[in-house]
């Protein structure tokens, strides 16, 4: 009967304790807020924000912490951690004997679970009743959390001096790195700090911090956790005497993410922290060289995927003198001459010009619009290649007048890029020289087409972001795109910059308010804007002198290397001036109108193949390749045909001809009559 009664009593006691445990659970839900963090594509920390209570408190994850540090922590704080149930009777008994023998507390006997109990229910007094409450809470915590969860919670909440809590915040503040791979000296300091975080703060009490670290090292050697010979070597390292700032990369993008999802603790972007850090350093150094109130913005993107690798909204987010809080990568500014490559590309695509076509650089009147060159000088007759490389204004407007401003705007819309025009105003010739608003973000998206065989990619910042419908839209034909890259790659680098093998274009807005440079290789596009956020003029600020050097320095320091520009696609060739047909040797602003004395027959029109047709000419496996018939109506003989910008071997007096294609895929066919009038179609050959 006695044994049965004892069993019932124990069962009743266990049930009562269980009910008490459920009725008064540990306040794990009251754990202080965690710091929101922003990470790059690989999970590297870009920016961290203080928790709502003003403390830096980052969530710890065991598999991302230095294993030797964890081993030292458990050996120093709670060596039976993995085997006890929240309370270590041996440690408590030792603490009680030391208290009785010395008349003071020598060691507390607290386990890591008991320390968590103290952290989530802080109490000022150190008494027997407080210790008993910690013991009870520790037992409750062990019932609810695994050992790994307990260790993670402790390393998230443990104090490390000032407003630093948790091992990650401490490692970032004292060592400038995540605690994934620590030196022995660093690991020992992080073990020592939580016992007396204020008295051992390295920035205020370096001697005390060093002594505490050395005691940990000695004890670890005695316990066999580290080798005796390592203690002396690790003890020679100096203690970090300065607290470092928390990471604050991509500040504008991070702020926007927090505003969009304020309750989310982890935000991930496709940025590359190494590239981002390098470009931010270049922006800051460059802005300081250029003078007060000047800011710099940059965006680097992968042209084949649209993924943004780095976005710098300003030279220094925290510099009020430069209005660093303003994200200039999304500000509408005049793009200067940066749209000229697309004007030339459309003219090449239409068969109006080739690289060695001569064009006039003389004052002109275009329906009342009288553009002037930047330096107020004129070159006379120049080749198209020279005109683009020298960024001459008048030739660009002659070409824009021929292709039409609305067509340029339409192609930009294909890339998902909108020019900002005055309300109710139609696109005019002035847009070719920067007479409209455009963001750096939009400009980089537009230039992805030049690095991606004519197809633009929508910029993407987040891994889960879906590209909009206009992604991979055709802005220019592959042949025209190659011609533009071939010309821009020949532009000389700014003084002192290395030849990187990139194609680039600069631009300067009216009044020296904005300086631009956009460059690309075979994979990446980098856009640079320089100016004052308030729109003020900066005398002498030009794209070539201010933005281009930054472009080349940023490309060099980004750490991604330079991918060679794409090879010429089928049909794209650079013809010498002597090889050009007569109609392409000189561009005339009267292109499209009958020449004096010419008959009044209509302009030529290609009736076969029709625009956008898919035509089987025998490229399929096992089939014999055949010629493609070409037919036109209208126009004046003789007729000159161009296939992908390359003239056919002979001219034709009849309105029918044939062409033997040399490759499948997209092709552009152009016919030019004796009056210089042209028509073009794009087809897909199979």
């Amino acid at each position: 009967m006695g044994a049965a009664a004892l069993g019932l009593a124990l069962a009743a006691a266990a049930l009562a304790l269980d009910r008490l445990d459920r009725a008064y659970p540990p306040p794990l839900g009251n754990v202080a807020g965690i710091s929101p963090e922003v990470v790059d594509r690989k999970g590297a920390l870009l920016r961290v924000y203080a928790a709502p209570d003003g403390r830096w408190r980052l969530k710890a994850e065991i598999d991302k912490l230095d294993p030797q540090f964890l081993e030292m922590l458990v050996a120093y704080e709670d060596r039976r951690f993995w085997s006890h149930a929240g309370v270590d009777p041996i440690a408590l008994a030792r603490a009680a004997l030391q208290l009785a023998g010395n008349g003071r507390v020598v060691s507390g006997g607290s386990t890591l679970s008991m320390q968590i109990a103290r952290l989530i229910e802080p109490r000022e007094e150190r008494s027997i009743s407080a210790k008993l409450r910690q013991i009870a809470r520790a037992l409750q915590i062990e019932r609810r959390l695994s050992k790994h969860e307990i260790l993670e919670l402790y390393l998230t909440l443990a104090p490390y001096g000032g407003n630093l809590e948790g091992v990650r915040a401490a490692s970032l503040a004292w060592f400038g790195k995540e605690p994934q791979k620590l030196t022995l000296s660093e690991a020992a300091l992080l073990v020592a700090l939580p016992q007396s975080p204020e008295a051992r703060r390295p920035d205020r009490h370096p001697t005390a911090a060093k002594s505490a670290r050395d005691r940990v090292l000695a004890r670890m050697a005695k316990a066999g956790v580290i080798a005796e010979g390592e203690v002396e070597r690790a003890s020679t390292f100096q203690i970090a005497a300065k607290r470092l700032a928390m990471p604050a990369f991509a500040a504008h993008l991070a702020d926007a993410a927090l505003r969009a999802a304020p309750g989310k603790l982890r935000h991930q972007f496709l940025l590359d922290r190494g590239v981002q850090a390098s470009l931010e350093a270049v922006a800051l150094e460059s802005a300081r060289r250029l003078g007060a109130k000047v800011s710099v913005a940059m965006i680097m993107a992968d042209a084949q995927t649209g993924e943004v690798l780095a976005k710098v909204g300003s030279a220094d987010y925290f510099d009020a003198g430069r209005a660093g809080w303003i994200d200039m990568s999304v500000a509408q500014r005049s793009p200067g001459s940066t749209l000229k490559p697309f004007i030339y590309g459309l003219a090449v695509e239409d068969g109006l010009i080739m690289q060695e076509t001569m064009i006039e650089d003389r004052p002109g009147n275009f329906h009342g619009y009288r553009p002037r060159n930047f330096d107020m000088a004129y070159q006379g007759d120049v080749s198209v290649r020279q005109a683009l490389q020298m960024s001459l204004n008048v030739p660009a407007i002659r070409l824009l007048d021929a292709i039409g401003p609305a067509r340029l705007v339409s192609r930009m819309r294909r890339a998902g890029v909108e020019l900002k025009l005055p309300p109710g105003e139609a696109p005019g010739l002035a847009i070719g020289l920067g007479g409209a608003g455009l963001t750096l973000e939009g400009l980089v998206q537009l230039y992805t087409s030049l690095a991606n065989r004519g197809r633009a990619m929508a910029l993407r910042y987040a891994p889960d972001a879906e590209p909009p419908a206009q992604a991979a839209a055709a802005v220019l034909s592959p042949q025209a795109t190659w011609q533009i890259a071939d010309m821009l790659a020949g532009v000389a680098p700014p003084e002192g910059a290395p030849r990187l093998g990139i194609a680039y274009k600069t631009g300067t807005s009216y009044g020296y308010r904005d300086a631009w440079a956009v460059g690309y290789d075979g994979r990446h596009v980098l856009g640079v804007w320089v100016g004052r956020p308030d729109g003020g003029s900066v005398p002498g600020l030009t794209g070539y002198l201010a933005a281009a050097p930054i472009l080349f320095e940023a490309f060099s320091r980004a750490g991604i290397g330079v991918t060679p520009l794409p090879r010429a696609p089928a049909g794209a060739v650079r013809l010498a001036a002597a090889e050009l047909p007569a109609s392409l040797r000189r561009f005339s602003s009267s292109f499209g109108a009958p020449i004096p004395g010419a008959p009044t027959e209509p302009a030529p029109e290609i009736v076969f193949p029709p625009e956008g047709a898919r035509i089987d000419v025998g490229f399929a496996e096992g089939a014999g390749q055949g010629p493609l018939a070409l037919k036109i109506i209208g126009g004046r003989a003789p007729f000159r045909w161009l296939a992908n910008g390359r003239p056919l071997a002979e001219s034709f007096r009849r309105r029918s001809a044939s062409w033997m294609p040399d490759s499948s895929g997209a092709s552009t066919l152009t016919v030019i009559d004796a009056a210089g009038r042209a028509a073009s179609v794009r087809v897909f050959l199979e």
Side-chain angles (χ1 to χ4, degrees):
M1 288 293 293
L6 179 60
L8 287 172
L10 290 173
L15 181 61
L17 288 173
D18 181 69
R19 289 183 175 178
L20 282 172
D21 175 65
R22 295 176 185 274
Y24 302 99
L28 294 173
N30 293 341
V31 171
I34 302 299
S35 294
E37 55 185 288
V38 180
V39 300
D40 77 349
R41 59 175 54 223
K42 298 177 182 177
L45 196 61
L46 288 168
R47 191 174 186 191
V48 60
Y49 293 82
D53 60 358
R55 295 183 175 273
W56 301 102
R57 189 183 299 110
L58 287 160
K59 180 175 174 56
E61 297 178 50
I62 293 297
D63 58 350
K64 295 181 181 179
L65 299 177
D66 188 296
Q68 186 176 48
F69 161 73
L70 293 174
E71 185 181 5
M72 291 170 64
L73 173 71
V74 171
Y76 189 84
E77 288 284 352
D78 188 359
R79 60 178 177 165
R80 283 174 285 276
F81 170 73
W82 299 106
S83 59
H84 65 62
V87 178
D88 185 350
I90 298 174
L92 285 176
R94 184 190 66 244
L97 290 173
Q98 289 173 337
L99 175 62
N102 295 277
R104 60 183 178 85
V105 175
V106 176
S107 64
S110 294
T111 62
L112 291 175
S113 302
M114 291 170 66
Q115 293 186 51
I116 290 175
R118 186 176 71 249
L119 291 170
I120 62 177
E121 285 185 302
R123 301 176 188 276
E124 294 296 329
E125 79 275 10
R126 298 186 67 178
S127 61
I128 297 297
S129 61
K131 183 66 69 174
L132 291 174
R133 281 194 296 270
Q134 288 177 20
I135 291 172
R137 287 303 194 197
L139 295 171
Q140 290 182 299
I141 289 169
E142 291 271 349
R143 290 190 65 186
R144 288 163 171 80
L145 302 178
S146 69
K147 289 291 186 178
H148 276 87
E149 290 171 330
I150 291 170
L151 197 52
E152 286 183 342
L153 185 56
Y154 171 79
L155 290 171
T156 298
L157 301 178
Y160 283 88
N163 63 345
L164 299 174
E165 291 189 4
V167 68
R168 289 183 62 202
S171 184
L172 289 166
W174 302 127
F175 313 136
K177 65 180 183 181
E178 291 272 9
Q180 290 178 307
K181 190 173 183 181
L182 300 168
T183 67
L184 193 57
S185 172
E186 292 167 345
L189 180 62
L190 292 180
V191 169
L193 282 177
Q195 283 73 51
S196 299
E198 292 305 318
R200 297 173 179 176
R201 276 186 61 165
D203 58 338
R204 295 184 179 179
H205 309 287
T207 302
K210 184 177 185 304
S211 298
R213 179 203 64 184
D214 293 347
R215 285 196 297 273
V216 171
L217 290 170
R219 185 166 158 185
M220 292 300 97
K222 186 176 180 180
V225 176
I226 62 176
E228 286 281 356
E230 293 182 350
V231 174
E232 184 177 355
R233 181 178 59 83
S235 299
T236 61
F237 286 94
Q238 294 296 315
I239 294 292
K242 181 181 178 182
R243 175 170 163 172
L244 305 174
M246 289 291 172
F249 297 112
H252 299 92
L253 200 59
D255 282 353
L258 256 68
R259 287 193 298 268
K264 192 175 179 181
L265 292 179
R266 191 175 188 270
H267 306 262
Q268 186 170 26
F269 288 107
L270 291 166
L271 304 184
D272 183 299
R273 174 171 164 154
V275 179
Q276 181 73 28
S278 296
L279 265 59
E280 287 194 18
V282 171
L284 179 59
E285 294 163 13
S286 301
R288 288 173 175 171
R289 285 196 305 265
L290 291 167
K293 299 186 178 180
V294 174
S295 191
V296 176
M298 285 188 272
I299 293 179
M300 175 172 271
D302 185 319
Q304 295 181 12
T305 64
E307 296 177 358
V308 176
L309 302 181
K311 174 178 174 174
V312 182
S314 66
D316 185 351
Y317 179 81
F318 301 102
D319 188 341
R322 302 180 195 276
W325 63 87
I326 300 177
D327 185 355
M328 294 307 300
S329 69
V330 294
Q332 295 277 356
R333 305 298 285 241
S334 164
S337 298
T338 56
L339 298 182
K340 286 179 181 175
F342 300 93
I343 298 173
Y344 282 79
L346 284 170
V348 170
E349 188 177 286
D350 286 353
L352 303 182
I353 58 171
M354 293 194 73
Q355 291 193 38
E356 297 304 324
T357 300
M358 299 303 292
I359 191 168
E360 276 188 278
D361 180 35
R362 295 182 177 86
N365 185 343
F366 301 87
H367 320 292
Y369 179 54
R370 297 178 174 84
R372 294 179 294 182
N373 286 330
F374 184 77
D375 59 2
M376 301 300 180
Y378 299 91
Q379 305 297 317
D381 286 351
V382 294
S383 68
V384 162
R385 182 181 180 88
Q386 292 171 323
L388 178 57
Q389 290 179 346
M390 296 172 68
S391 196
L392 300 175
N393 289 343
V394 178
I397 297 304
R398 291 188 190 279
L399 295 175
L400 184 58
D401 186 43
I403 64 173
R407 191 144 170 260
L408 173 63
V409 171
S410 175
R411 291 298 179 95
M412 293 177 65
R413 285 176 179 155
R414 286 190 188 180
V417 177
E418 289 282 348
L419 277 175
K420 184 178 181 181
L421 297 165
E425 186 172 311
L429 294 177
I431 66 173
L433 305 182
L438 187 61
T439 66
L440 176 62
E441 191 174 64
L443 191 61
V444 170
Q445 181 163 313
L446 185 60
Y447 266 74
T448 61
S449 65
L450 297 184
N452 194 35
R453 296 187 179 272
R455 306 189 74 83
M457 294 298 298
L459 299 189
R460 296 173 56 222
Y461 292 98
D464 55 353
E466 294 185 6
Q470 67 268 18
V475 177
L476 292 171
S477 69
Q479 292 77 19
T481 302
W482 180 84
Q483 296 285 355
I484 297 304
D486 192 51
M487 290 187 276
L488 293 180
V491 179
E495 186 176 355
R499 286 193 173 273
L500 299 178
I502 65 173
Y504 80 105
K505 182 72 185 74
T506 62
T508 306
S509 69
Y510 178 77
Y512 301 101
R513 289 178 172 84
D514 308 277
W516 304 81
V518 191
Y520 59 96
D521 61 7
R523 184 64 186 257
H524 302 101
V525 177
L526 173 60
V528 177
W529 170 88
V530 183
R532 285 177 50 163
D534 61 5
S537 177
V538 183
L541 185 79
T542 67
Y544 188 75
L545 294 177
I550 298 174
L551 173 79
F552 275 74
E553 185 178 1
F555 237 117
S556 299
R557 291 171 56 177
I560 58 172
V562 175
T563 303
L565 289 164
R567 295 181 178 179
V573 293
R574 187 202 302 171
L575 296 179
E579 298 176 298
L580 295 175
S583 56
L584 282 175
R585 291 177 183 173
R586 171 176 287 277
F587 173 80
S588 171
S589 59
S590 61
F591 196 94
I595 61 176
T600 58
E601 64 268 271
E605 179 184 350
I606 300 174
V607 294
F608 190 85
E611 172 67 28
R614 299 182 72 92
I615 304 172
D616 184 358
V617 292
F619 281 108
E621 186 176 354
Q625 177 189 346
L628 175 65
L630 310 173
K631 297 181 181 180
I632 62 171
I633 59 173
R636 179 188 177 196
F639 304 102
R640 170 67 70 176
W641 284 89
L642 291 84
N644 298 318
R646 186 171 186 173
L648 302 191
E650 59 179 309
S651 60
F652 300 85
R653 299 201 65 83
R654 303 182 62 177
R655 287 176 171 77
S656 61
S658 64
W659 168 53
M660 186 69 73
D662 56 7
S663 64
S664 60
S667 291
T668 300
L669 299 169
T670 301
V671 65
I672 305 171
D673 75 350
R677 298 170 296 180
S680 295
V681 295
R682 295 185 67 194
V683 297
F684 192 89
L685 304 180
E686 300 175 324

